Amino acid sequence: QQVKVSANISLIKRKSWILGTTLGYRLTSAEAEIGNTGTSYITTSNDLHYLFSSLNLTYFSSLFGKRMVYSSSVMLDGSDKHLERVRGMLTATMVLKANPRTKMTVGILASIDPSAPTPFVPTFSYEHKFNNGMIADIVLPRSLYLRKFVFNRNGRISFGSELDRTAFYLYNLDGTDQKYEYGQLDVNSGLTYEHAIGRHFMLTAKSGMKYTPSGRVFKKEDSFADPVYKITPDPVFYFNIGISFNPFSILGKKK
């Protein structure tokens, strides 16, 4: 079970750049039996607190006659006990096409994070608005959705799949002072409903099937690719509900 609260806040906005921050908290109630042999297991049952924040700078420019969007983020995360890790992320995105019906971009993401599986990830996005009000929204490698606004654009229903990551820190797992991190990549497929509350708050409810191809416990100083334990959960039904703050929410804008 998970509860997640997050806020995206713009601190300074100018014509060519935006400085903002992200604040978030996730509570995961988990019970697991973790083992690396047929007879050796560790059982953990806890409410696990994960806190994260970032300072984000976005810069708008042009290259080869195309619109460019550059962004950089410095991210902090940890638990209710300790600040654990400082990460960095850089992105460069070129807008290939942008008109009232279709938007398409390509780019590259660089992660400055020793625990990341790979330091570079290519990105691609495509959005197209059909005449019947449906919207194809593809953001690779993260999500693939078919969306539709409802309730005079105060709500939006989406059907599709997205990648998500669950992470938290573990202490006293083996009776020592060694700190561990748990990271889990999920493929969530199903329905999402978003509803604007006022101008900037958004209620989000998600339900469907969760498939987890990879869940791993690794030492904090190591990487996701060098686990102590590997976990392969069975596909499960999920339901998540959360609220977020975003001053640039697309919901609530009347067109």
Side-chain angles (χ1 to χ4, degrees):
Q1 297 179 350
Q2 285 189 355
V3 177
K4 183 177 180 181
V5 180
S6 63
N8 298 310
I9 304 170
S10 175
L11 301 176
I12 304 174
K13 185 177 181 181
R14 297 292 185 264
K15 183 177 180 180
S16 60
W17 59 275
I18 299 173
L19 180 67
T21 185
T22 300
L23 305 171
Y25 166 76
R26 181 169 60 234
L27 169 65
T28 302
S29 298
E31 182 174 345
E33 192 175 63
I34 304 170
N36 59 353
T37 70
T39 58
S40 176
Y41 292 91
I42 298 171
T43 300
T44 177
S45 178
N46 287 296
D47 287 339
L48 301 159
H49 306 272
Y50 180 72
L51 296 93
F52 56 94
S53 65
S54 66
L55 185 66
N56 316 305
L57 176 64
T58 303
Y59 179 73
F60 305 97
S61 183
S62 61
L63 182 66
F64 306 126
K66 299 291 186 180
R67 183 73 160 171
M68 292 293 300
V69 181
Y70 302 96
S71 68
S72 61
S73 299
V74 177
M75 299 168 285
L76 307 176
D77 73 356
S79 67
D80 57 325
K81 297 180 175 64
H82 304 286
L83 171 66
E84 295 293 356
R85 197 186 297 276
V86 180
R87 314 171 194 258
M89 185 172 67
L90 302 170
T91 68
T93 302
M94 176 179 286
V95 180
L96 299 180
K97 185 175 184 179
N99 60 47
R101 295 191 61 182
T102 303
K103 297 180 178 64
M104 184 166 58
T105 71
V106 295
I108 188 76
L109 181 152
S111 179
I112 307 170
D113 178 3
S115 70
T118 177
F120 298 99
V121 177
T123 61
F124 172 81
S125 72
Y126 177 80
E127 179 188 285
H128 182 75
K129 299 177 181 178
F130 298 98
N131 292 331
N132 60 3
M134 302 298 291
I135 302 172
D137 188 357
I138 301 169
V139 181
L140 300 179
R142 186 168 184 266
S143 62
L144 175 64
Y145 277 108
L146 191 63
R147 307 185 188 273
K148 186 175 178 62
F149 285 99
V150 293
F151 302 127
N152 197 26
R153 297 186 65 88
N154 284 325
R156 185 171 69 175
I157 296 175
S158 305
F159 175 76
S161 298
E162 69 175 0
L163 283 176
D164 194 13
R165 181 177 183 266
T166 297
F168 46 78
Y169 292 93
L170 299 168
Y171 308 96
N172 303 316
L173 190 63
D174 53 4
T176 71
D177 293 333
Q178 175 65 55
K179 296 179 181 180
Y180 293 88
E181 184 177 352
Y182 176 77
Q184 175 178 303
L185 294 176
D186 301 316
V187 181
N188 298 330
S189 299
L191 286 172
T192 299
Y193 178 70
E194 301 159 281
H195 192 88
I197 303 174
R199 289 178 57 84
H200 305 308
F201 287 91
M202 188 188 305
L203 178 70
T204 302
K206 299 182 178 183
S207 182
M209 292 300 297
K210 179 189 296 287
Y211 169 65
T212 304
S214 182
R216 301 181 180 187
V217 176
F218 53 94
K219 294 180 180 178
K220 179 189 168 184
E221 63 271 17
D222 293 338
S223 73
F224 186 84
D226 188 23
V228 177
Y229 304 108
K230 293 183 180 181
I231 301 169
T232 53
D234 294 329
V236 295
F237 173 82
Y238 75 92
F239 176 78
N240 292 336
I241 189 167
I243 189 168
S244 61
F245 171 77
N246 187 341
F248 304 112
S249 173
I250 62 171
L251 299 183
K253 289 184 178 182
K254 306 298 188 294
K255 293 184 178 180

